[in-house]
Amino acid sequence: VVSSYSSGNGSFPYNFLFGAATASYQVEGGWNLSGKGENIWDVFTHTHPEWIADHSSGDIACDSYHNYKKDVKLLKKLQVQVYRFSISWARILPNGDLSLINHSGITYYKNLIAALREVHIEPMVTMYHWDLPQALEDKGGWLNTQMADYFKNYASLLFTLFGDQVKWWITFNEPTEVCTGYVSRDAAPGVVLPGVGDYKAAHTILQAHAKAYHVYDQKFRSKQKGRVSITLSSRWLEPISESSEDIEASERGMQFELGWFAHPIYSKSGDYPPLMRKIVDEHSRAEGLKYSRLPSFSGYWIKYIRGTADFFALNHYTTRLVTSGEEGEIPSKEHDTGVISKVDPSWPSSASKWLKVVPWGFRKLLKWVKSEYRNPPVFVTENGFSDHGELEDNDRIYYHKNYLAELLKAINEDGCKVIGYTVWSIMDNFEWERGYTEKFGVFHVNFSDPARSRQQKKSVEVLSKIFHLKKLDEADNFV
Ligand code: PNW
């Protein structure tokens, strides 16, 4: 099936948007400057530096707090049409709630947005990329249902402050990763409640997202005319063989990984995936629990959450081979999923243990989203490759060219409606628990230089051409 949304000849649709992405904690620095409050990553890195690979933090990071004008120049060099960045909640609301509004925080983002618009780069704003104000974590963080209202107030303030200039909004970046903060010490706040805390946090986040979406509908949409979504991340889970057991394992894995958040929002019926409901209910009963570890939505909430996205925002990096089997402690979401996964040793590696280069998995994932959720417009909000910071970053060039080629096939041959693509990331930055040991940037950042000087990598030459011409040169697809 060739959809009308296609163009052929290695060209992307004329209105396709290319961009680059970052997140506040990973690039800004200025952790305690001009009235910013502490967030959970400030506290996590300061109290437990040993939990970060190189004992580092985002205290200074790329110092984008002072260097945002330089960043805009880099973006221009890359020829992007969109810059996806996130707002630090505690920089705007140091206490998390509306008791104190930090005006210098507002000024920082106003300046950044103005600098982008001046050179015709469209801002795409993520409201929450993992940096919860510590004051709200002290109230229980995402385990506390009230967080949905704190988030709604914060979102409403952002629409009021920036909505005349910002037309692309993302409420949450990768809620599954936010939930990891309630499973293990791999991420802030490092609360260890596997199989319980993650499901509970997810439940609150879905409510928070829906509240923000409805506020936009009720108070802002008619005037501001923007779009609101939530960024979900997913690997492609390829069955290890053609056996029905492995195909089922793949489907089950996809429902637990992407369906967990996508089904309540994008499916026709709403609510968690039926398969997930069944399995977690059964496991909970077997564990002798009176209630399921997966919380339930009332009919009211199912309807309230369903349909709360104007496009499907998707992050994708890599693929795993899956079969059915038991992994993870009891209880845990990992164990509930009942899937074991591995990689094909022939797949090229990156500097990140979890990231193998598997371009075809991207196309399969886009196809899955199309058939599962009635072909929504998809904006790929992150896709990227890590190395150790080399300027001749040929492996990154290979990665992006080949992932983009698969994205084009998904549009032209499978009829997927992919509308945009932002590369992670415009520059090397703080990679969470892996510190500065892995680099995802298309620009190099010198972290031992107090000025945090930036330097172009080879990938910029290649990507800027693709982004400008909106065309992939078939001839040099494979470097
Ligand atoms: C992304 N996966 O998370 C984050 O949004 C970024 O902040 C981060 O810098 C980037 O990854 C690179 O590490 C991911 O399961 C979470 O494949 C999970 C996956 C991929 C990326």
Side-chain angles (χ1 to χ4, degrees), residues 23 26 84 129-130 173-174 176-177 233-235 257 315-318 352 354 382 424 429-432 434 438 440:
Q26 296 180 270
R84 174 176 180 245
H129 200 124
W130 311 354
N173 178 67
E174 300 184 351
T176 52
E177 297 304 312
S233 170
S234 191
R235 301 169 296 183
E257 181 150 334
N315 287 357
H316 174 71
Y317 289 82
T318 197
S352 310
W354 55 272
E382 279 178 37
W424 184 272
N429 59 54
F430 177 76
E431 263 301 318
W432 308 111
R434 296 177 304 275
E438 299 169 10
F440 278 87

Side-chain angles (χ1 to χ4, degrees), residues 263-437:
H263 200 277
I265 296 171
Y266 297 101
S267 72
K268 210 169 172 178
S269 49
D271 204 358
Y272 294 118
L275 189 59
M276 198 174 172
R277 171 94 271 152
K278 181 168 162 274
I279 292 170
V280 185
D281 286 1
E282 271 170 22
H283 287 186
S284 303
R285 223 172 288 128
E287 289 151 22
L289 299 172
K290 218 166 146 195
Y291 299 99
S292 176
R293 287 182 281 101
L294 182 68
S296 289
F297 286 120
S298 65
Y300 168 84
W301 277 104
I302 291 172
K303 273 203 215 116
Y304 188 82
I305 294 167
R306 197 178 58 199
T308 54
D310 301 319
F311 60 100
F312 197 116
L314 179 69
N315 287 357
H316 174 71
Y317 289 82
T318 197
T319 286
R320 306 277 302 180
L321 299 174
V322 296
T323 183
S324 98
E326 294 206 1
E327 217 167 38
E329 54 189 302
I330 300 176
S332 67
K333 176 168 166 280
E334 201 184 352
H335 179 262
D336 289 335
T337 310
V339 157
I340 50 179
S341 76
K342 61 172 200 173
V343 298
D344 182 327
S346 75
W347 293 343
S349 295
S350 70
S352 310
K353 228 176 83 198
W354 55 272
L355 206 180
K356 300 290 172 189
V357 182
V358 196
W360 53 262
F362 191 18
R363 178 177 175 188
K364 291 205 177 191
L365 173 65
L366 290 167
K367 232 175 139 172
W368 192 85
V369 168
K370 180 196 173 194
S371 62
E372 191 72 13
Y373 305 115
R374 298 164 294 156
N375 203 12
V378 174
F379 201 120
V380 179
T381 42
E382 279 178 37
N383 177 240
F385 175 84
S386 64
D387 56 21
H388 296 289
E390 35 279 48
L391 294 175
E392 291 266 319
D393 54 344
N394 292 318
D395 294 343
R396 176 167 295 104
I397 293 169
Y398 176 90
Y399 180 96
H400 284 290
K401 275 190 173 175
N402 286 281
Y403 273 68
L404 281 169
E406 294 296 322
L407 187 158
L408 259 185
K409 286 185 208 159
I411 294 178
N412 293 329
E413 293 171 42
D414 307 330
C416 297
K417 286 195 298 225
V418 189
I419 60 171
Y421 176 93
T422 54
V423 48
W424 184 272
S425 171
I426 186 67
M427 62 196 149
D428 298 338
N429 59 54
F430 177 76
E431 263 301 318
W432 308 111
E433 79 278 15
R434 296 177 304 275
Y436 298 96
T437 63

Side-chain angles (χ1 to χ4, degrees), residues 8 32 66 101 104 116 134 138 214 233 322 330 344 388 407:
N32 61 354
H66 296 109
I101 296 179
S104 38
L116 290 167
Q134 181 60 32
D138 293 342
H214 287 295
S233 170
V322 296
I330 300 176
D344 182 327
H388 296 289
L407 187 158

